Amino acid sequence: MSRRNGPVASVRSSDDQTNQTQESIMSYAIVGFGAVGQALARAFARKDIKVAVASRRPPEALAPQARAIGPTVVAKSLREALEADAIILAVPFGEHREVAKALPSWKGKTVIDAMNALIPLEEMDGLLSSAFVAKAFTGAKLVKGFNHLIAAKLAADPIVEGGHRVVFLSSDDEDAAAPVAALAKQLGFAPVKLGKLNEGGALVHARGRIWGPLIFQDVFKKEQ
């Protein structure tokens, strides 16, 4: 049970090294600096992980709040922020297509969809919201994550009573889900992979008057 004993401790050390390596080779940006965007920025700042933040407002308008959150949170223009390897979408759902237009190609990018659509499936071609979002970000690897918690929970310390607050992840690309899970661990969360977007992703999908059973479920995973 304890991670402090012999070989188990060495495994944890290896995990830490993996996370540190992941942090060193991945760059991050949060697009959208409302309640959810700022909450995510606080999670990055708590762990001293550098992250760019951007929105429709110019970076100088965001800079005071970014500095107040922490020195690793850097306000940038949208174009500059999109130079990151992994981009977290925290804009209102209706604005994601405008973000998608900011780059001619999303190939090589990981897009983390932290949005909730709140509109009927009929307005999204019958698709779940993340599958609909993926259509706009052609070439990107898309992961659904960080969307099921309210902003106040995302901003709070994820380590509570000996457990780590769970972040649910789903993606049609396992290669994309793995580094996002590593990021979640770096931020102090316990990532739980739900599978593909049309399977596990439906559990954290918000649409119209129908809500996935895991939306707003604040659960913790004990260390093992």
Side-chain angles (χ1 to χ4, degrees):
M1 295 293 292
S2 173
R3 291 191 176 186
R4 296 183 176 86
N5 295 331
V8 178
S10 66
V11 171
R12 184 179 183 182
S13 175
S14 176
D15 288 344
D16 290 343
Q17 290 175 1
T18 299
N19 288 345
Q20 291 170 3
T21 299
Q22 185 67 37
E23 181 179 345
S24 68
I25 64 174
M26 292 284 285
S27 55
Y28 304 103
I30 300 167
V31 177
F33 205 51
V36 172
Q38 291 183 33
L40 287 165
R42 292 182 186 281
F44 277 83
R46 187 181 297 112
K47 295 296 184 178
D48 294 321
I49 300 174
K50 186 174 181 180
V51 63
V53 295
S55 78
R56 291 179 298 178
R57 293 181 289 162
E60 54 268 24
L62 308 182
Q65 182 60 36
R67 286 194 296 267
I69 292 173
T72 62
V73 181
V74 182
K76 294 186 177 183
S77 69
L78 178 59
R79 180 56 65 93
E80 290 173 327
L82 295 183
E83 293 176 0
D85 301 308
I87 294 98
I88 303 176
L89 292 178
V91 297
F93 186 80
E95 296 179 14
H96 75 272
R97 280 174 286 198
E98 289 303 311
V99 177
K101 293 176 184 176
L103 286 183
S105 172
W106 287 84
K107 186 175 181 180
K109 302 287 186 182
T110 296
V111 173
I112 303 168
D113 177 13
M115 304 178 296
N116 286 313
L118 306 178
I119 60 177
L121 288 182
E122 293 74 19
E123 297 182 26
M124 296 184 290
D125 302 329
L127 299 171
L128 295 178
S129 62
S130 290
F132 185 76
V133 169
K135 292 171 60 177
F137 292 85
T138 305
K141 296 179 179 180
L142 190 133
V143 181
K144 185 75 170 179
F146 298 99
N147 71 295
H148 87 284
L149 293 170
I150 62 174
K153 296 297 184 183
L154 278 176
D157 190 337
I159 302 176
V160 180
E161 298 179 359
H164 294 252
R165 181 168 276 120
V166 166
V167 165
F168 296 112
L169 304 176
S170 55
S171 179
D172 291 340
D173 191 325
E174 178 61 28
D175 290 341
V180 177
L183 170 63
K185 286 184 179 179
Q186 290 171 25
L187 297 177
F189 295 94
V192 173
K193 297 179 183 178
L194 298 178
K196 295 187 176 182
L197 294 175
N198 66 348
E199 300 168 345
L203 300 176
V204 292
H205 182 79
R207 61 187 186 276
R209 294 183 295 274
I210 302 172
W211 298 79
L214 296 180
I215 285 288
F216 304 140
Q217 296 300 310
D218 189 21
V219 296
F220 298 84
K221 185 176 181 181
K222 293 287 187 179
E223 297 216 26
Q224 297 180 354

